[in-house]
Amino acid sequence: MPHNERYLSFRCPRWGELPELELYMDQVINVLERYLTPFFPEEEKCITSTMINNYVKQHLLPAPENKRYGKKHLAYLFIISILKRFMQLSDIKLLADALVEEMGEEGAFTLFTA
């Protein structure tokens, strides 16, 4: 399938479709890879543990709780992973912070996936 068609067929999961259980890093990566492959060439990893750790260090992503990631973490990672193809990380942080402050994490993610 051509890259353009893969973009058009993409559907980000909604807040209520994100796993209820908290996930470990490798599980988070599996969930994200399942959805995000249309945005990345086959030879490029869409998400790695190093990327996730760097997003936490850069305060783009809240720190995991007891090495587990919940819905809010997945929501941030979907937003970061998709938008980083088109925007700088510093701009993504500004946008995400403003939306979360205004609408909360669920509201911001719902707007992003609408």
Side-chain angles (χ1 to χ4, degrees):
M1 178 181 316
H3 219 56
N4 294 359
E5 289 180 33
R6 292 191 329 198
Y7 285 145
L8 295 174
S9 67
F10 173 75
R11 182 187 166 284
C12 196
R14 303 307 187 248
W15 183 267
E17 297 170 339
L18 296 174
E20 292 293 331
L21 297 173
E22 293 185 337
L23 306 174
Y24 288 104
M25 177 79 77
D26 59 331
Q27 295 168 310
V28 168
I29 290 170
N30 286 335
V31 169
L32 291 165
E33 283 180 339
R34 203 171 0 170
Y35 284 97
L36 296 176
T37 53
F39 290 93
F40 297 86
E42 287 182 28
E43 65 279 356
E44 185 179 336
K45 289 294 248 178
C46 60
I47 191 78
T48 65
S49 58
T50 302
M51 289 177 191
I52 294 171
N53 289 330
N54 284 334
Y55 299 153
V56 172
K57 287 178 189 174
Q58 295 172 25
H59 303 286
L60 283 159
L61 174 69
E65 298 160 13
N66 298 320
K67 296 186 178 185
R68 293 184 185 188
Y69 298 82
K71 279 186 171 193
K72 70 179 177 184
H73 297 100
L74 283 171
Y76 274 99
L77 287 167
F78 272 107
I79 292 168
I80 293 165
S81 298
I82 293 168
L83 291 182
K84 77 177 186 177
R85 306 296 291 171
F86 314 103
M87 297 173 66
Q88 293 184 10
L89 290 177
S90 58
D91 293 334
I92 295 170
K93 178 170 177 29
L94 289 172
L95 176 63
D97 287 349
L99 288 174
V100 168
E101 183 177 323
E102 180 73 24
M103 312 171 115
E105 289 158 343
E106 182 177 351
F109 189 66
T110 299
L111 177 66
F112 181 75
T113 60

